[in-house]
Amino acid sequence: MLFSWPGLCGQWTDLYWPLNNGDQKSFLYEWTKQLNTGVVIWNTNQFQVNLGTGHHSADYEVHEVTTNGIFLVQTVSSSTSRSFNPKVLLMNDTLLQQGGVKITETSVSQSGVSNYSATYTVAITKAGTVKVPAGTFSDCRNIIVTLRETIPGYGTQTTNALTAVLAPHVGIIRKLIKAGTSKKPAVWADLLSGTVSNVPILDWSSTRLLVVQTNGFGTTTPDYSREGLQLGKGYSITAKPAVGWVFSNWVNNADLVLTNGATLKFTMQTNLVLKANFTPNPFIPMKGNYAGLFADTNGVTPTNVGLFTATLTDQGSFSAKLQQAGTSYSIASQFPVGGVFSTTIVRRGQSPLSVYLQLGLAGTDVITGFISDGAWTAELTANRAVYSKTNPAPQAGRKFTVMLLGSEDSQTQPGGYSFGTVSVDALGNLAFSGSLGDGSKVVQTTFLSKHGDWPFYLPLYSGKGVALGWLQFTNQTDTDITGVVKWIKLPQPGKFYPNGFVCTNGLEVSGSLYSFTNGLRLLNWTNGETVLADGNLPQSITNQVVLDVNNKVTGSNKLSLTITASGLFQGTMTDPATRKVITMNGVVLQKQNAGVGSFLGTNQSGSVWLGAK
């Protein structure tokens, strides 16, 4: 049985019945260190227990080993010795078979201390079948040994000398290392391996212990430290970081990275050491939503540009979407602690997309990278949504109107102004609704970056066109939104521009803050004019107009136009040359004190300008 003697540095002694010369065992000591194989040498009524590197060796002299049990007479360790009179019966076959309680009252003689009394109580109950790493054992016994002694100068004290599980012909297979509490379970040391009567409990020719280490704060499961693993057999182990930490990688004893994933699959080998590395969590300040654009700087086509959106968790896992040429591609993965991620997206009937992402971990609130199909490479930038109710966007609650210039050559590209309205809430969420210069109705919802950047992206013509560009909220004196948008339409059947067009040099964008007050003019003038140009007109048409307090515009050529509360306008006029009615649509820009829009001719679009005379 296993014993800890008070006053002897808490050393453990393995005693089991029957004792045989050459018997060996291996236990886990203090649940963190494996005890080297304890060698029990039985010879001429003495045995020695080797507690392994870093621990003492203690000699115990045992007298009267009989078929009835083991009698402990004298213990020798360093300069301390004890003798018991009468002798202490630790266990015998009757007690082991039937169970029960054996109490021995004795007088203890110890050098340097007057004789004192002690009582040993051995309680044994049936435990049935017990499984430990060394094997499954039947007909086991629970054993509790209590020592009560009255030592001169120290008083009476009671010690739980042993709580263990005993297996016949094997001895201790489980021993209590640390008692449990209401919050923490008891800690046991289980028999890992060894031989009893020269018969191996665990065959170490094909089994080894795995050494698992952690660097940083985290845990690993399952706990392989208490069992031998079969050489050549496959296993898996998973790392879980503590709060405020993230998993970095698994490495071997040479610090070579085995995987960046939390779960490692491995094949058991001799002297295998696995280390789980954890690091302080760098992702917490980067958590959130991201939105941005990717585009080939060498030349834009509908297939090499797109919109990138992503959501990042505080553990570095993310989901992302690439929108490109009418198709969406999804990614769900994990950023390594270094913030660099790469993958390949397989596309049916097309070359795969290589995706490289770099997470800005220095407070930049941005993801950068590139996307490539091998023939083109598009640079990517996506900004994080940083605003909240407690940190609202500067544009929160405001409305804006915006326009894109039309082409000077309406025969090949739309000559009308593109226009729309914009609203921004406290979280920086942006909603855009408008009309392009060729009459296409468009909408977009996204959010602003902390620098006021707007990733303007419109997928058009069922994947055969696109308009995109970075717009900025500037809060300048004469304008609030600026930027350049590239607009592409591939050849396709239709009334307007069937040959397509490429506005790759970009269309200038301008926008301004907009506010509406009932009963007041939205533009600061009364007498003005409208000018219509291009759109299959043989020459431009100028109309003299008047803006009343109800924001209705009337003028020559039967012009009638109404500015709505949203800042949009719509109206009609009669072409003096053909007498046909022309329908006009547009938006007012209050800081520019004017309105712009478009109209559609036979197969071209034209521009509308409204301003003071």
Side-chain angles (χ1 to χ4, degrees), residues 208-324:
R208 295 292 186 275
L209 283 177
L210 172 67
V211 177
V212 179
Q213 302 172 345
T214 58
N215 179 28
F217 291 92
T219 58
T220 61
T221 54
D223 181 5
Y224 286 127
S225 63
R226 292 172 177 260
E227 60 182 289
L229 303 185
Q230 191 74 30
L231 291 175
K233 184 178 179 180
Y235 297 89
S236 66
I237 188 169
T238 300
K240 182 179 180 181
V243 175
W245 291 70
V246 293
F247 175 73
S248 177
N249 52 37
W250 282 101
V251 299
N252 59 16
N253 57 349
D255 285 332
L256 295 177
V257 176
L258 302 175
T259 181
N260 293 319
T263 298
L264 170 67
K265 294 183 178 181
F266 64 95
T267 300
M268 188 58 193
Q269 307 170 29
T270 302
N271 300 322
L272 182 59
V273 178
L274 301 176
K275 182 188 294 185
N277 289 320
F278 302 93
T279 188
N281 191 341
F283 301 113
I284 294 176
M286 302 301 295
K287 173 185 176 182
N289 296 320
Y290 291 77
L293 305 174
F294 59 91
D296 187 353
T297 58
N298 295 319
V300 173
T301 69
T303 58
N304 64 13
V305 299
L307 178 70
F308 174 87
T309 57
T311 300
L312 177 72
T313 73
D314 58 5
Q315 293 296 308
S317 61
F318 72 96
S319 58
K321 180 181 290 186
L322 282 67
Q323 297 183 49
Q324 176 200 40

Side-chain angles (χ1 to χ4, degrees), residues 559-601:
L559 185 143
S560 177
L561 183 150
T562 301
I563 304 174
T564 67
S566 65
L568 297 173
F569 69 76
Q570 57 186 9
T572 61
M573 64 159 285
T574 301
D575 184 345
T578 65
R579 310 309 298 174
K580 291 183 178 180
V581 176
I582 299 175
T583 300
M584 302 169 289
N585 292 279
V587 69
V588 296
L589 303 168
Q590 289 180 318
K591 283 193 173 183
Q592 289 86 342
N593 200 30
V596 297
S598 63
F599 69 93
L600 297 176

Side-chain angles (χ1 to χ4, degrees), residues 24-96:
Q24 301 180 19
K25 290 185 180 181
S26 177
F27 283 92
L28 188 75
Y29 179 67
E30 294 180 346
W31 74 89
T32 58
K33 303 173 185 176
Q34 187 203 343
L35 199 64
N36 289 357
T37 302
V39 181
V40 180
I41 304 174
W42 179 258
N43 188 20
T44 62
N45 292 336
Q46 294 185 11
F47 63 91
Q48 181 183 46
V49 180
N50 181 357
L51 297 183
T53 304
H55 298 277
H56 305 298
S57 291
D59 292 336
Y60 299 88
E61 186 175 343
V62 180
H63 290 202
E64 296 190 35
V65 177
T66 72
T67 57
N68 293 323
I70 298 177
F71 292 85
L72 186 65
V73 177
Q74 187 177 33
T75 304
V76 180
S77 178
S78 303
S79 59
T80 302
S81 64
R82 292 179 180 184
S83 61
F84 306 92
N85 186 22
K87 303 162 188 176
V88 179
L89 173 64
L90 300 183
M91 61 180 176
N92 59 32
D93 286 339
T94 300
L95 190 62
L96 287 172

Side-chain angles (χ1 to χ4, degrees), residues 138-199:
S138 59
D139 198 25
C140 296
R141 300 291 185 267
N142 296 312
I143 178 169
I144 299 176
V145 180
T146 305
L147 167 64
R148 179 182 175 87
E149 53 189 345
T150 303
I151 305 175
Y154 295 94
T156 301
Q157 61 184 28
T158 302
T159 304
N160 184 3
L162 172 66
T163 300
V165 177
L166 194 69
H169 307 292
V170 177
I172 301 295
I173 59 172
R174 295 200 78 193
K175 59 185 177 184
L176 182 67
I177 295 295
K178 190 174 184 180
T181 66
S182 60
K183 295 183 178 181
K184 295 183 178 181
V187 179
W188 293 80
D190 292 344
L191 181 63
L192 299 175
S193 64
T195 61
V196 175
S197 300
N198 295 317
V199 177

Side-chain angles (χ1 to χ4, degrees), residues 224-453:
Y224 286 127
S225 63
R226 292 172 177 260
E227 60 182 289
L229 303 185
Q230 191 74 30
L231 291 175
K233 184 178 179 180
Y235 297 89
S236 66
I237 188 169
T238 300
K240 182 179 180 181
V243 175
W245 291 70
V246 293
F247 175 73
S248 177
N249 52 37
W250 282 101
V251 299
N252 59 16
N253 57 349
D255 285 332
L256 295 177
V257 176
L258 302 175
T259 181
N260 293 319
T263 298
L264 170 67
K265 294 183 178 181
F266 64 95
T267 300
M268 188 58 193
Q269 307 170 29
T270 302
N271 300 322
L272 182 59
V273 178
L274 301 176
K275 182 188 294 185
N277 289 320
F278 302 93
T279 188
N281 191 341
F283 301 113
I284 294 176
M286 302 301 295
K287 173 185 176 182
N289 296 320
Y290 291 77
L293 305 174
F294 59 91
D296 187 353
T297 58
N298 295 319
V300 173
T301 69
T303 58
N304 64 13
V305 299
L307 178 70
F308 174 87
T309 57
T311 300
L312 177 72
T313 73
D314 58 5
Q315 293 296 308
S317 61
F318 72 96
S319 58
K321 180 181 290 186
L322 282 67
Q323 297 183 49
Q324 176 200 40
T327 304
S328 295
Y329 303 100
S330 297
I331 304 172
S333 193
Q334 169 78 36
F335 272 108
V337 293
V340 176
F341 171 83
S342 62
T343 190
T344 299
I345 298 175
V346 178
R347 302 185 297 173
R348 180 178 297 179
Q350 301 181 72
S351 58
L353 289 178
S354 298
V355 179
Y356 174 91
L357 303 176
Q358 171 69 65
L359 183 62
L361 297 177
T364 57
D365 296 311
V366 66
I367 294 175
T368 58
F370 64 82
I371 299 172
S372 176
D373 74 342
W376 53 262
T377 299
E379 295 182 359
L380 180 149
T381 300
N383 297 305
R384 187 171 76 96
V386 300
Y387 296 116
S388 63
K389 292 182 179 179
T390 57
N391 176 36
Q395 303 83 4
R398 299 184 179 184
K399 296 182 182 298
F400 301 83
T401 53
V402 64
M403 69 89 175
L404 286 72
L405 286 176
S407 171
E408 295 181 355
D409 180 8
S410 66
Q411 295 183 12
T412 59
Q413 299 177 11
Y417 290 94
S418 302
F419 57 88
T421 60
V422 179
S423 62
V424 181
D425 67 13
L427 303 182
N429 295 317
L430 178 150
F432 166 75
S433 176
S435 178
L436 297 183
D438 64 354
S440 300
K441 304 301 181 183
V442 291
V443 294
Q444 185 192 14
T445 56
T446 184
F447 54 82
L448 299 180
S449 76
K450 63 182 179 182
H451 299 299
D453 299 315

